[in-house]
Amino acid sequence: MRRIPVWGVLAALVAVSTLVRAWAGLRIPTPWIAADEMIYSELGRSLWETGRLEILGADTAFYSVVHPALIGLPLALFDTAFGYDVARVLQAFVMSFTAVPVFLWGRRLMDERWALAAAALTLALPAFAYSGLLMTETVFLPTMTLAAWAAASALERPTPRAQALLVGAVALAVLTRLQALVLVPAVLLAAVLFALSQRRWASLRQVVPALVALVVLAAVWASTVAFGAYGLAGETEYDVADAARFVLYHAADVVFFTGVVPVCAVAFLLLRPPASPGTSAYLAVTVAITCGLVAEVGMFASRYVGRLAERDLIAVAPLLFLGFALWADGGAPRGRWA
């Protein structure tokens, strides 16, 4: 393995994942999830044929732009059956491409082989079965991973370019799926956690331009699109006890579906003395995004799902796998108290 260029191994991982997921996805009877798949397919076809996001020629509330743009071209070019299959192959590739930002982020924190391990664990997620369905999860996973990496990079090196990339990555994730709005408060929390871990409040002041830009974008979005097709979720009153119970359920589910050990590994890293800026930025972003998504999904599920909404949490998995690889790369330290 040492003789194979690391990029060759990464490319092979993505290629194998794409082929396997496409093969498995094409065997799924379609459509499987109603009415979501029908909605996204109609939005995509409309976007490429008319330049507007419509369903059967009628205006509709906002769902997504990025995902319909991805799947809409084959649906517009070919007949429905063949276009559907081409779209699913595209989704298998895009979802598998999540391994690339995981690896690029990881190799800045650890040995390249452990960064590859984190990428491989990401590709092993059972949730990749969604690549066989026309669902936003296929694009949401890579865009959320990209946004998390951009947030950590901006905290570690708050250059104008890094902060601009952060704002752009968050906007891309929101345009993919409205659930990504949680990134705005999560990035704010991550900036505070990073300043505390480094004991330098100057680091918080350095990212003020990006934080202000995110708040402004969120305000503009709230005054125009708001929660789009999920507007009712933003207007509903939630029972505090039920919401807390479902948040706890989903926190436990994160531990479970990532294999327990990655969450423990991140906890071990948090219990150690202040780490390097890169590791501190990673931990701040991982804790903030994980807490934000668990709270958001738990509250929503308490009112509209009534059970575990695990597919809405898969974006935390690559972050936790990176923590496991980082912990293992450092010799898997674990004191008795930890």
Side-chain angles (χ1 to χ4, degrees):
M1 288 292 290
R2 291 178 181 274
R3 298 177 182 177
I4 303 175
V6 66
W7 281 104
V9 178
L10 180 63
L13 285 173
V14 174
V16 170
S17 174
T18 300
L19 292 173
V20 171
R21 298 301 181 180
W23 172 81
L26 292 174
R27 295 164 60 89
I28 299 176
T30 58
W32 188 261
I33 298 183
D36 297 39
E37 291 193 76
M38 296 82 152
I39 289 173
Y40 295 126
S41 62
E42 286 300 317
L43 289 173
R45 183 183 283 111
S46 170
L47 181 63
W48 282 96
E49 291 180 349
T50 70
R52 296 186 297 273
L53 290 169
E54 298 177 338
I55 297 178
L56 300 177
D59 292 333
T60 184
F62 181 85
Y63 282 92
S64 172
V65 171
V66 178
H67 181 250
L70 172 70
I71 66 172
L73 182 58
L75 290 170
L77 290 178
F78 309 113
D79 65 81
T80 301
F82 184 67
Y84 196 101
D85 287 344
V86 173
R88 289 190 288 175
V89 173
L90 280 175
Q91 287 188 147
F93 170 72
V94 171
M95 203 170 189
S96 299
F97 194 77
T98 308
V100 175
V102 170
F103 170 76
L104 291 176
W105 187 2
R107 74 171 186 170
R108 293 174 55 175
L109 305 173
M110 65 195 83
D111 183 87
E112 286 185 335
R113 288 171 294 178
W114 279 113
L116 279 174
L121 284 171
T122 298
L123 295 176
L125 275 172
F128 271 68
Y130 282 105
S131 61
L133 309 171
L134 297 189
M135 300 290 288
T136 55
E137 280 81 3
T138 56
V139 189
F140 189 60
L141 183 64
T143 55
M144 282 292 286
T145 304
L146 186 64
W149 177 28
S153 298
L155 292 177
E156 182 184 3
R157 300 185 184 89
T159 62
R161 178 176 178 272
Q163 295 188 60
L165 288 174
L166 166 59
V167 175
V170 171
L172 179 66
V174 173
L175 290 172
T176 300
R177 186 166 169 157
L178 286 167
Q179 184 187 353
L181 286 169
V182 75
L183 284 172
V184 176
V187 171
L188 293 173
L189 176 59
V192 173
L193 293 176
F194 179 72
L196 288 172
S197 68
Q198 294 294 293
R199 297 185 177 90
R200 284 196 319 112
W201 288 106
S203 63
L204 184 58
R205 293 194 297 270
Q206 289 173 329
V207 293
V208 164
L211 299 180
V212 170
L214 288 176
V215 171
V216 170
L217 284 177
V220 172
W221 187 276
S223 64
T224 54
V225 179
F227 290 99
Y230 301 94
L232 190 62
E235 301 169 359
T236 301
E237 293 185 3
Y238 293 86
D239 182 89
V240 175
D242 279 346
R245 183 162 52 93
F246 271 82
V247 168
L248 180 61
Y249 289 160
H250 286 79
D253 191 38
V254 167
V255 178
F256 183 75
F257 81 75
T258 56
V260 181
V261 178
V263 174
C264 296
V266 172
F268 287 136
L269 293 173
L270 289 168
L271 290 169
R272 298 179 67 189
S276 65
T279 300
S280 293
Y282 156 75
L283 289 171
V285 168
T286 296
V287 169
I289 291 180
T290 300
C291 290
L293 280 175
V294 167
E296 178 191 48
V297 175
M299 286 184 62
F300 180 82
S302 71
R303 185 67 174 80
Y304 292 99
V305 183
R307 51 182 166 75
L308 290 175
E310 185 175 292
R311 66 186 177 94
D312 297 332
L313 289 173
I314 61 174
V316 305
L319 309 186
L320 296 173
F321 292 152
L322 275 170
F324 166 73
L326 179 59
W327 174 69
D329 181 56
R334 52 200 184 280
R336 179 170 299 178
W337 287 108

